[in-house]
Amino acid sequence: MALLLISSQHDEETKPESGTSLLERVGKFNGLNIFFIETSGRSCLTARQACGVESAAKANPHASVTLYMEKTPIANLSSYKSNKDEVNCVVTKFLLHRIENVRILRQNLLDHLEGTPLWEFYRNGLFNKSTTPLVHRSDAIRVALLWKNGGIYLDLDCIVMRPLDSLNNTVGTVRDFIPNWIENGVMAFNAGHPFLHFLMKSMVLAFRPDNYLSLGPSAITEAILDFCDRDDLPANTLLICSRNSSLFIQPPDSFYAIGSGRADVFYHPETDPADRNKVKHSFLSHIYDSDLRLNVLLQAQSPIDVTVLRSLRSLILKSLDWYLS
């Protein structure tokens, strides 16, 4: 069965399914909701991004995996085309047609802010002042979608290695930043969780157009401290918070076993067995600097990243075979 593609602007080779087919597919995957966001407006995923989506779908075959893609290119992004773009489109088309529990929605993603505390913030044009618009838009949209729909949000540079259905109302801490630092690259919440509404209101006040973290990790960290009336955020702890709600802080090894401060570990030919052991017990691995290191990754023999290598190489080779056949 072909993968669902919903798009008001789609390539000639890829047609959206009928309304009946849409209902059949969405009805088939009616449990766990996993989603990603791509805000650049480009029509093709990179191989690394597609690998992340594929890993989530294969590790969670009964989940509905949704990729939200901005359909309008963001101003000032390069329109340069290269041979790499052609390969990326091949990989994207393979993902569309061969992985059953994935769907791609091409939309005006900022429309999802309507009905949230971030809507007037957007309508007042504050995003236009941002020096990192892709980052700030993504940070806002992911929280709005979680609040409205619930589920698990993942950054596109996450490689999933285990089922995620045990995650609920939880975020993850890291070990190589300032103390009590919470990342927003993985978030799992019930729809309507009161913390998410509080977070969106906090983001309006926290926004700094020249600080790319202002709507992301720094905002969510400060919001949890305030909402749960805490002075610290110890890992592996269930926090009892405002409005009779709770929030679980995952330990670093759950999502960020190898933090951004040690990103080189993923690309070295040799690694510490302790690092391999950390990743082995993770739900997923957040691959920092993966855009910059993709060529190195494809040639590496690092045992720490054998899962990523196999998945990424497999996806690219299968995509090219499918396209050429």
Side-chain angles (χ1 to χ4, degrees):
M1 183 183 294
L3 175 77
L4 171 65
L5 171 68
I6 301 177
S7 173
S8 60
Q9 295 180 349
H10 48 270
D11 297 335
E12 292 182 358
E13 298 97 329
T14 311
K15 302 296 184 182
E17 295 189 37
S18 67
T20 301
S21 179
L22 166 60
L23 292 174
E24 290 173 351
R25 287 188 54 77
V26 173
K28 184 174 181 179
F29 304 104
N30 57 3
L32 182 63
N33 168 38
I34 300 171
F35 70 96
F36 300 82
I37 296 172
E38 209 292 320
T39 54
S40 72
R42 297 187 178 98
S43 60
C44 301
L45 296 175
T46 66
R48 183 267 302 168
Q49 291 173 329
C51 184
V53 176
E54 182 196 38
S55 71
K58 289 191 171 183
N60 299 271
H62 301 295
S64 174
V65 179
T66 303
L67 170 63
Y68 292 90
M69 296 187 75
E70 176 59 52
K71 72 177 185 179
T72 305
I74 305 301
N76 299 324
L77 284 181
S78 173
S79 59
Y80 173 74
K81 299 293 182 182
S82 67
N83 291 335
K84 186 173 70 173
D85 295 326
E86 295 180 6
V87 174
N88 289 343
C89 285
V90 171
V91 171
T92 304
K93 290 174 183 177
F94 175 85
L95 186 71
L96 288 173
H97 290 286
R98 294 298 177 91
I99 303 181
E100 186 181 37
N101 60 325
V102 176
R103 59 177 180 160
I104 292 182
L105 305 182
R106 300 183 191 272
Q107 301 173 337
N108 290 315
L109 296 185
L110 288 171
D111 288 347
H112 291 290
L113 302 184
E114 187 170 4
T116 78
L118 293 167
W119 181 242
E120 286 304 316
F121 172 85
Y122 159 57
R123 291 289 296 263
N124 289 336
L126 293 179
F127 277 124
N128 296 332
K129 300 179 180 180
S130 171
T131 58
T132 53
L134 300 187
V135 175
H136 285 146
R137 290 176 185 222
S138 178
D139 287 339
I141 293 162
R142 70 186 67 175
V143 179
L145 285 169
L146 271 175
W147 183 65
K148 289 183 175 183
N149 303 327
I152 300 174
Y153 165 79
L154 302 177
D155 276 354
L156 276 165
D157 48 6
C158 290
I159 302 298
V160 181
M161 297 175 287
R162 290 172 51 193
L164 304 180
D165 52 0
S166 63
L167 299 177
N168 192 35
N169 299 331
T170 189
V171 292
T173 189
V174 294
R175 58 169 53 90
D176 59 352
F177 278 100
I178 60 175
N180 303 313
W181 187 262
I182 301 295
E183 283 277 12
N184 69 335
V186 181
M187 300 187 290
F189 282 95
N190 292 332
H193 193 286
F195 169 70
L196 298 175
H197 195 268
F198 180 87
L199 173 58
M200 288 187 286
K201 292 194 293 183
S202 299
M203 290 166 74
V204 173
L205 300 176
F207 177 66
R208 300 292 181 271
D210 58 349
N211 181 351
Y212 77 100
L213 294 175
S214 65
L215 297 184
S218 59
I220 192 171
T221 298
E222 289 300 320
I224 294 175
L225 290 169
D226 290 344
F227 187 73
C228 301
D229 192 23
R230 300 283 306 195
D231 295 321
D232 62 350
L233 298 174
N236 218 15
T237 302
L238 179 67
L239 305 182
I240 305 303
C241 306
S242 299
R243 299 184 61 184
N244 297 317
S245 63
S246 62
L247 221 169
F248 186 76
I249 306 297
Q250 294 282 341
D253 287 354
S254 291
F255 311 139
Y256 312 105
I258 309 298
S260 63
R262 301 183 62 240
D264 285 350
V265 168
F266 287 109
Y267 313 100
H268 286 173
E270 296 180 0
T271 190
D272 189 330
D275 285 331
R276 294 200 302 272
N277 210 43
K278 291 174 186 175
V279 173
K280 182 173 67 175
H281 298 290
S282 298
F283 286 99
L284 55 90
S285 187
H286 194 283
I287 312 298
Y288 291 97
D289 291 348
S290 51
D291 275 328
L292 301 176
R293 311 293 188 96
L294 179 59
N295 290 334
V296 177
L297 177 63
L298 288 172
Q299 299 172 8
Q301 300 296 325
S302 171
I304 185 86
D305 217 23
V306 65
T307 301
V308 181
L309 282 169
R310 286 174 177 168
S311 181
L312 185 53
R313 283 176 172 154
S314 173
L315 177 63
I316 293 172
L317 292 175
K318 286 188 296 184
S319 302
L320 292 173
D321 286 345
W322 165 74
Y323 184 72
L324 296 171
S325 63

